[in-house]
Amino acid sequence: MSPAAGPPPPAPPARFAQPVRVYQRRLPPSGFAPPPPSPPVTSPPAAPPVAQSSPGTPTPPPRPPAARVETPAYHPPLLHRNSRHVHPMVTWHAAGTLPPRVLAATPGDSQVSPVPSSVRTALLDPHWRRAMEEEYAALVANQTWDLVPCPPGANVVTGKWIWTHKRRADGTLERYKARWVLRGFTQRPGVDYDETFSPVVKPATVRTVLSLALARSWPVHQLDVKNAFLHDTLPETVYCCQPAGFVDSSRPDMVCRLNRSLYGLKQAPRAWHSRLATFLVTLGFVEAKSDTSLFDHHHGAETAYLLLYVDDIVLTASSLSLLRRLIDALQREFLVKDLGVLHHFLGVTAEPRPSGLLHQRQYTLDILERAKMIDCKPCSTPVDTQAKLSEAEGDPVEDPTGYRSLAGALQYLTFTRPDISYAVQQVCLHMHDPREPHLAALKRLLRYLRGTIDYGLLLHRSTASELVVYTDADWAGCPDTRRSTSG
C-alpha cells in the first residue's frame, strides 16, 4: 500500500535502504491491555478524509489506509483473556483455551482421575488411595510377609507402586487398579532366585481349542485370578522394603521377609505356574505334552480344556454342569472371578457370532498410534513382489529401538492375522541391524494394516477334526545366504 499524497517524508537514516513508513496502531478491542505509547510519532485528532489534493491547499498529515484498520481478522475479540499477556497476538494460552491433555482417559471420561506420578499424589486422590488400600489389605490378609529386623549383609529388594486403569473391551473404565511391584533387577542370582522360566500358552493352541469348542458347541468361559502371585510360596528367602505410604509407624526400620511371591520377582511366574498346575492335577487335569500351558480333563464321556496365561484362564467343557463344577473348585482354592462367556482375552476380542470371529482391532490401532501412522494412506498388499530384503543394503535407521518395538508388536498381531505372517517374518529377520529398506517394508505393512483394521480370524463350525496342512518353499530365496524359506 502507498501512503496518501502529501509532502515528502523526511530523509531516512543511512542504515535503511527504503524510506520508513510509519502506520498508526489500531486501537485495541475491549479486554486488551493498551500498548505502550510511542513518543516519536503523534497521531492528530480525527480529520475529515481528503478526496483529492488541489494546488495551493494545505494537505493534512497522512493517516493509515482504511483497509488496514478495518481488517476484521487481524485482532479477533476474546471472551476471556489472560491478563499476563499484553501482546495482541491471539494464542491458546492467551485466550485461556488450552487443548485438552490426553492422559489415560477416553472421550467421555472427563471424571476419570489421571494416573498419578508419585505416591504422594496417589494418596491425595480418593480413587487411587482406595485402590492402594485394597491392594495392601489383600497383601496383609494373605500373610505375604513377616516384618523382621534386617539381617546384616542381606539384600533388600526395593519396590514401587504401579497404577493403571482397567478398562472393558469397549474402552470404558472398569476400575482403578494399584499394585505393589518389586524391582526384580535388584535381586541377586543364587541368593534371591534360581529358576525363572515360566511357560506361556501358544497362539496356535488357543486357536485349536477355540475351534474345537466352536465345532462342538461347547461353552467357553474366561476366568481371572485376583492377586495370582500371592497364592504360591517361595522356596528362597527374599527380603524387601515395606510398601511406600504404608510403612508401619511402630517398626519403620524393619523389612519384609516374603512368605509368598510378589509381582516383579524373577521367579514369581514360575512359582505361580507350579502352584496352579499342582492343584489342577488334583482335579483330574493332565498337562499336555505339546503345550505345558494346556491342561486336559477326561472323565468318562466328559471332556474339558483349560488354557493358562499367567493369571488369565480360558476354560471350556463338554457340558455346562462340568464347567460349573470346575469353576467352583477353582474358586474354593483361589480368588477366581468368573468373567462369563469369553469376549476379550490377551488383547484378542472374540465376537459372539455363529461362525466365531477373533480380531485385534484395538491392538492394531495402538500399534499405528505408536508409530504415528494412524492417519497414513492405506495400501492393499502387505509386501511388494520383490519382498526379499537384503541384510546390508541401505543406511542404518536412526531409531533401531523403535523398529524393534514395532516389529515385536507385529509378531503378536499374527495371533489373528495370519495374512501378515510372511511380511512380519521378513521385517523381523533384520532386527539386529535394521536398515532403511527394512523400515520402508515395515511402514508398508503398517499402511496395509491401516486399510484392513477390521480383518480377523473367522472360525467356522466344522465336523472335521483332522489337521489339513499345506506347505511350500521358495528355492534359494534369501539374497544373502541363498537358503530356502518354507511357508
Side-chain angles (χ1 to χ4, degrees):
M1 293 180 291
S2 303
R15 67 178 182 272
F16 292 104
Q18 299 292 334
V20 178
R21 299 171 183 175
V22 181
Y23 297 95
Q24 179 183 358
R25 181 183 294 274
R26 179 192 176 195
L27 294 178
S30 59
F32 277 74
S38 180
V41 181
T42 58
S43 301
V50 178
Q52 187 176 1
S53 299
S54 59
T57 304
T59 306
R63 59 175 298 177
R68 186 176 181 86
V69 176
E70 296 176 0
T71 305
Y74 183 64
H75 294 301
L78 297 176
L79 298 177
H80 305 284
R81 182 176 178 84
N82 196 321
S83 59
R84 295 180 299 173
H85 292 80
V86 297
H87 195 277
M89 180 180 293
V90 179
T91 62
W92 280 345
H93 196 275
T97 56
L98 293 176
R101 295 181 61 188
V102 180
L103 295 169
T106 57
D109 286 348
S110 57
Q111 302 300 323
V112 175
S113 299
V115 177
S117 58
S118 63
V119 176
R120 182 185 299 272
T121 306
L123 293 176
L124 294 177
D125 189 289
H127 300 292
W128 294 115
R129 181 179 180 85
R130 189 182 306 111
M132 295 169 66
E133 290 174 348
E134 291 176 358
E135 173 72 5
Y136 181 75
L139 296 175
V140 174
N142 205 45
Q143 300 180 355
T144 308
W145 59 66
D146 295 325
L147 287 179
V148 297
C150 182
N155 180 44
V156 180
V157 182
T158 60
K160 62 181 294 187
W161 284 101
I162 299 294
W163 304 277
T164 183
H165 294 112
K166 295 293 290 185
R167 298 189 178 276
R168 303 179 182 90
D170 57 356
T172 58
L173 180 67
E174 180 180 359
R175 62 186 176 92
Y176 296 89
K177 184 175 182 179
R179 177 171 288 171
W180 175 246
V181 178
L182 298 185
R183 295 184 174 98
F185 59 86
T186 60
Q187 293 182 259
R188 293 188 301 183
V191 177
D192 300 319
Y193 68 95
D194 187 13
E195 280 290 332
T196 61
F197 174 76
S198 175
V200 293
V201 67
K202 301 175 183 177
T205 306
V206 178
R207 292 193 294 262
T208 303
V209 171
L210 294 182
S211 299
L212 290 174
L214 180 64
R216 300 173 183 177
S217 301
W218 289 359
V220 183
H221 277 225
Q222 180 180 358
L223 311 177
D224 180 69
V225 184
K226 186 177 181 180
N227 300 108
F229 287 179
L230 305 184
H231 294 285
D232 51 89
T233 57
L234 281 177
E236 304 89 357
T237 302
V238 181
Y239 298 95
C240 70
C241 60
Q242 300 185 44
F246 296 87
V247 178
D248 192 340
S249 57
S250 61
R251 297 174 291 179
D253 298 330
M254 291 192 175
V255 295
C256 302
R257 184 180 61 194
L258 294 181
N259 301 322
R260 302 182 182 275
S261 64
L262 279 176
Y263 288 91
L265 288 178
K266 293 181 179 295
Q267 67 268 38
R270 174 194 56 82
W272 159 244
H273 186 276
S274 176
R275 171 75 172 85
L276 181 60
T278 303
F279 177 74
L280 291 177
V281 170
T282 62
L283 296 180
F285 281 92
V286 177
E287 190 175 78
K289 296 182 180 180
S290 59
D291 193 335
T292 54
S293 294
L294 170 64
F295 296 87
D296 307 335
H297 177 84
H298 299 282
H299 182 72
E302 295 181 326
T303 303
Y305 296 107
L306 185 143
L307 298 171
L308 174 64
Y309 190 96
V310 191
D311 56 350
D312 291 320
I313 298 175
V314 172
L315 180 62
T316 180
S318 57
S319 64
L320 192 59
S321 59
L322 175 60
L323 183 72
R324 192 70 262 167
R325 292 200 306 269
L326 295 176
I327 294 177
D328 292 341
L330 289 171
Q331 289 177 338
R332 287 193 297 268
E333 184 71 15
F334 309 106
L335 294 176
V336 175
K337 181 179 180 181
D338 185 6
L339 302 180
V341 179
L342 177 66
H343 60 279
H344 197 72
F345 177 70
L346 304 179
V348 179
T349 302
E351 292 189 1
R353 296 185 179 184
S355 298
L357 178 65
L358 304 178
H359 66 84
Q360 295 170 279
R361 187 180 189 278
Q362 186 60 44
Y363 182 72
T364 306
L365 291 173
D366 294 341
I367 296 177
L368 292 172
E369 189 170 354
R370 188 194 311 177
K372 299 180 180 179
M373 295 181 63
I374 193 67
D375 297 322
C376 65
K377 182 179 179 181
C379 62
S380 57
T381 55
V383 291
D384 56 13
T385 55
Q386 303 295 331
K388 294 296 183 179
L389 301 175
S390 179
E391 186 176 39
E393 181 181 353
D395 299 328
V397 299
E398 296 181 358
D399 184 16
T401 302
Y403 178 94
R404 298 183 184 108
S405 176
L406 291 174
L410 290 173
Q411 284 184 336
Y412 187 69
L413 187 59
T414 58
F415 192 108
T416 60
R417 296 294 300 270
D419 54 328
I420 65 170
S421 297
Y422 173 75
V424 171
Q425 182 258 355
Q426 286 294 301
V427 298
C428 289
L429 281 177
H430 312 284
M431 294 177 66
H432 63 287
D433 185 20
R435 303 298 180 104
E436 288 298 333
H438 311 150
L439 181 60
L442 178 64
K443 290 184 176 180
R444 180 189 177 93
L445 178 54
L446 294 175
R447 289 171 52 207
Y448 170 73
L449 293 175
R450 184 64 185 87
T452 58
I453 290 180
D454 295 322
Y455 280 23
L457 192 64
L458 191 63
L459 303 180
H460 296 278
R461 293 184 181 271
S462 175
T463 57
S465 59
E466 298 84 11
L467 291 178
V468 182
V469 180
Y470 300 89
T471 181
D472 192 12
D474 59 343
W475 178 256
C478 181
D480 299 315
T481 62
R482 308 308 299 171
R483 292 181 179 177
S484 303
T485 304
S486 62

